[in-house]
Amino acid sequence: QYGTRVTISGTNLLGVSGDARLSWVSLGGINATVLGTATSTQIVVIAPHGPSATGTAVQIVAMSGAQAIKNNSWTYIAEGAVTSVVPGSGQIGTVVTLSGSNLLGGGSSMSTVTLKGVSSTINPGACNNTVCVVTASSGP
């Protein structure tokens, strides 16, 4: 899913000689944003926008021309969508129900929910792929 932090681990990811700098990384044929400095054993990227697809390849290309490809190793999951927020307004302590699709983005839990830029409290056990119940908080 777009925005997912992906850690790619291996050996000689940037080749064994010559220019050991990273040229690009693609997930399912779409270039990803590299975070930090790539090493020969680890590269961290942020997944780009992509269509829902399973079994796509991860490809790494170094400035030296060295390539590493792992087929059938990346699945794009459709981005989540919020279709309703009930109630649409409230104050601190208001319980809010968010409905939509793929809200967990392929994960098993919700990590944060913000309401108008303010973090809310996720009610334990109250989130799944289609519904998440939160309590409005006082802000940062």
Side-chain angles (χ1 to χ4, degrees):
Q1 183 176 36
Y2 169 73
T4 301
R5 182 182 172 124
V6 180
T7 301
I8 303 164
S9 299
T11 56
N12 298 324
L13 295 176
L14 302 176
V16 294
S17 63
D19 194 350
R21 293 178 296 146
L22 183 64
S23 180
W24 53 268
V25 174
S26 73
L27 303 175
I30 303 169
N31 285 358
T33 301
V34 178
L35 296 178
T37 302
T39 69
S40 64
T41 59
Q42 184 172 300
I43 300 169
V44 179
V45 299
I46 296 294
H49 285 281
S52 293
T54 59
T56 63
V58 172
Q59 183 175 11
I60 301 163
V61 177
M63 296 297 277
S64 66
Q67 295 187 40
I69 299 172
K70 175 77 172 163
N71 291 315
N72 298 317
S73 60
W74 176 254
T75 297
Y76 271 107
I77 299 170
E79 292 183 43
V82 175
T83 55
S84 71
V85 179
V86 178
S89 63
Q91 56 198 24
I92 296 169
T94 300
V95 175
V96 179
T97 301
L98 307 165
S99 299
S101 62
N102 205 26
L103 297 178
L104 300 181
S108 60
S109 65
M110 187 78 61
S111 61
T112 58
V113 173
T114 59
L115 300 171
K116 194 140 182 154
V118 177
S119 291
S120 59
T121 302
I122 299 171
N123 297 353
C127 290
N128 60 43
N129 255 342
T130 57
V131 176
C132 187
V133 179
V134 300
T135 303
S137 300
S138 62

